[in-house]
Every structure is written in structure tokens, then in C-alpha cells.
Amino acid sequence: MRNVSFIDTTLRDAHQSLWSTRMTTAMMLPVAPILDRLGFEAIDLVGGAVFDVCVRYLLEDPWERMRIMSRVITKTPLIVMTRGQSLFTFELFPDDVVELTAQRIAANGIRYTTPYDALNDIRNLEVPVRAATAAGLYVAAGIVYTISPVHTDEYYAGKARELIRLGVDAVFLKDPSGLLKPERVQTLIPVLRTAVGALPLQLHTHCLTGLGPICALEAIRLGVDTVHTATSVLAHGASQPPTEWVALNARRMGFEVTLNVDGLQPVADHFRYVAAREGKPLGMVAEYDPFHYEHQIPGGMISNLRSQLRDIGLEHRLDEILEESARVRRELGYPIMVSPFSQFVATQAALNVIQGERYATVPDEIRKYALGYYGQLAAPVDPSVLDRIVGKEQPVTARPGGLLAPALGRVRRERGPFGSDDDLLLAVFYNPEQSAKLVAARPIKTDYPTGRTPLLTLIKELAARRDIASVKLIKKSPVIEEAAR
């Protein structure tokens, strides 16, 4: 039987899904050398909300995180995920910014990138893919899954063929809201397998309705080469399927799995300890929720929305807003409920419900979406609401990135000089106050939580299990030694 490989998401998407993206570099370091030797195809590290939260909330330079982790994880490629032309934020950036970002990702020790576009407008991936390839990065590009009358199997096959024409190294199906069901896997994966041909095909799904693990196994059976999974304690719920479960069951199905599954135990133990110390949740199997397939809003967003409504005494209207979200999405041409469009749709739905008049207030982002400034829509906006959104303004049809003037020269003039191109890009992404706070907080703290005790405790636990190889790996890592002093 053929080989199945695994991409570990524990250090990025898993904690983004379960811990509001609050895993620090220091929390990662004790188990980084262990993950490095287990046989993963790659390890997901930075991207999207992780980059943003590092800057805004953790005050950790994401470029420095890349450098630190790439000095510890030397065997397994580290991944930086980008939102295509939007990179790490909700807005699109000019081509010169996208190109320099790819160069700096590679320069900071990263060897693998997974760009995708939230509208599946492949034009928004042309520059990111070309720039990443030129920088020497392995490019696994994503197409984003959703459910609608227009997002058919053939639609996805066509998008995969467009990606192949860009010269990507692999294609992955990204299911950010955990909408896949086994029966859809049975029709979609064979079609994608044919479209991709000899290129590797990957699956990235979430477990919001509890179906992620069985969908992963069914996808493997039908031709997926690589699955994105998380260490068990940070799997399930809004996160990915558990690596241990998927790997063991794939092996039972007769597939060759070279991943050292038993070696994940100290990783799980470490993050169980971190969760207990920090008051963070562990992943739990989600109950099946048919309503989720109607509104399609990711679980983390629902939690935030509930909290915001509670603050203004309107928590009891949450289900009404979720129902309105499904209606708004239909009217807007079925945007995929992934950042930023899940936020845009939910905001419009909340305004419609709370104000009592639909589309009385329309955020500028909704107007730009309807006019094509983010990319090509999957389906036309309902004519009955289009005039209320855009008025007499005419839509654009050009590649969105091509409409933006180069930015690097302007930022250098207005906010330079900069000590590095990394700092230049931070100035492009963030305002002066945010950038100044980040610079003032350098360097990243690498001791967790303080002193030697937690690290020594982990080493003792590993020694008690006679996992001497992991103990040696931890002890001889230069960054870990520095953190322990």
C-alpha cells in the first residue's frame, strides 16, 4: 500500500483554534526537537492569525519566532501559511510587499509555504506562488472548501487545475469550518485526485461537527497523500483530527505510516501541563450540529460573537444572528466562511438584526467585496440587495493586487530608516504604535515559565519513561540550553 504522510499543526492552527492563538515560543521550545525527529512531512508554525497575534498581543516578533524555531527544528521543514495576496491580514497588499515577504520567509529559515485565497480567486495566488518558488520555498497551495449550489466537485477540480498551471508543488483542500462529510469526501477527493494527477494531494480539515477524523481516513482511502493533524491534547473541537488516532487507523487500513506515533506522548504530556498551568482548554470531541452547515461560522468566531452580545445584553439573539448570517451569505453570492469573509458576513448579519432594518448600514468591507476588490465572486450578489450595498459604483474586473500601487518605497520614505527588511515589512503591516511596542519587547522570551523547573520536570518525566532519545535532544538544543540557564 502507498505511504501516508502527516503535517503537524500543533504549533499553529491547533492553538489558534483552541487557545485563541496564545501559544508562545517558550511554550513550543521544550518539545520542538522531539517533533523534529518523529517523521512529519512538515510542521506548521506561523501564518494568518498567528503572525497577527504575535505582534498585537504576545509582543513576539514573528520573524524572530521563525529564526528561533528553525535553529531547533532542523530536519523537518517548517511551514508559514499565507492568505495569498493578503499575507497575514484581512487586506490585500501590493505585489512588491508580497514578493519581499516570500524572500524574508525563506531568509528566516522556513522551507515550506501553504498559500490560499479566501475567495479561491487563483489570480490572488499568482504573485505569492511565483515569489515563493523564486525564493526556493516548497509551495503547497490551497483551495478552500465550502458548501453552496455553486461550489461543486467540478468547481474544485477546475481550481486545482488552475493551481497546477501556476507551477505549485502540491495542492491541499482546506476545510476551515469543518464542513466536510464522508459522503462528500467520497465524490470530491476522487475528482481532485484526477485533477491533480501526479502531484501530492493534501487534506486540511477541522472537527467542528465531530466528523474530521473519519473524513481524514476516508480521504486517505480515496487518494489523499498527506493529512494535517494535531497532537491529541490539542485536537478535536475547532482544531484538527488527532495525529495519533489517524495514524494508527491508517496503518490498520494497510497504509504505510512511517511517523513515530509513540514519540508524540511527551509532546501531549507537555501541552497538557501547559494547558493546566495557563488555564487553557484541551480539545474535546464536538457534538454533531446540523445548524453549523447552515451558517458555517467557525467555532472560535461564535464564541467571540456570544461574548460581544453578552456585553451589550443581546446574547439571547445569537441564534437569530446566525440564521441571518446564512441569509446574508446567500445574498452575497456564497462567500466562503473563512477570514476575512466570515467576519464580514457575521458583522452584516448582526447589524441587520440589531438595527431592525436589513442593510441599513453596510460596512465598507462588504461594499468592496461586492465590487470585486477582494477578487472574483463565486456567484453574483442578489440584485435585490446589490443597489443598497454599492449604489451606482461599478465593479472592478482586474486582478486585485494589480490595482495597488507599490508600497515599499513609500513606507521607507515615511517611516524609515529600518534596521532590516523584516522591520520594513512590520511597518507595512502595522501602525507606528504597534511596531514600536513590538520593538521595545524584543527579544522573545524563551524560558517557560521561569527558570529551570518546568524544563527539568519534563526531562525527568521523559527519563522515567526511558525516552532517553528525547531527553538528549532537549539537552543538546542550544536554544533550550539558553532558556534553561
Side-chain angles (χ1 to χ4, degrees), residues 175-213:
D175 177 22
S177 293
L179 298 171
L180 275 172
K181 296 180 180 180
E183 54 266 35
R184 184 65 187 274
V185 171
Q186 291 166 2
T187 64
L188 179 55
I189 295 301
V191 169
L192 285 177
R193 181 72 273 171
T194 299
V196 169
L199 286 187
L201 177 62
Q202 304 178 3
L203 174 67
H204 177 105
T205 189
H206 289 246
C207 303
L208 283 158
T209 61
L211 298 180

Side-chain angles (χ1 to χ4, degrees), residues 119 150 327-335 348 359 362 365-373 375-391 395:
L119 286 177
V150 296
R327 184 179 177 186
V328 168
R329 179 174 177 261
R330 287 195 300 271
E331 292 169 339
L332 294 182
Y334 302 102
Q348 185 66 67
Y359 298 102
V362 177
E365 291 83 1
I366 293 287
R367 181 189 64 82
K368 289 172 62 179
Y369 159 81
L371 289 169
Y373 283 97
Q376 186 176 31
L377 280 59
V381 176
D382 189 325
S384 66
V385 301
L386 182 61
D387 288 346
R388 302 199 68 177
I389 294 174
V390 303

Side-chain angles (χ1 to χ4, degrees), residues 8 11 32 35-36 41-46 65-81 105 108-114 137-138:
D8 176 69
L11 305 186
L35 287 170
D36 190 27
E41 175 178 326
I43 296 172
D44 204 1
L45 179 67
V46 170
R65 177 176 289 190
M66 295 178 205
R67 291 192 295 272
I68 290 172
M69 296 301 288
S70 64
R71 288 198 295 267
V72 179
I73 297 177
T74 58
K75 179 181 178 182
T76 309
L78 289 170
I79 295 175
V80 167
M81 180 273 287
I105 287 171
N108 282 294
I110 304 302
R111 291 184 276 155
Y112 201 123
T113 186
T114 52
L137 297 168
Y138 183 93

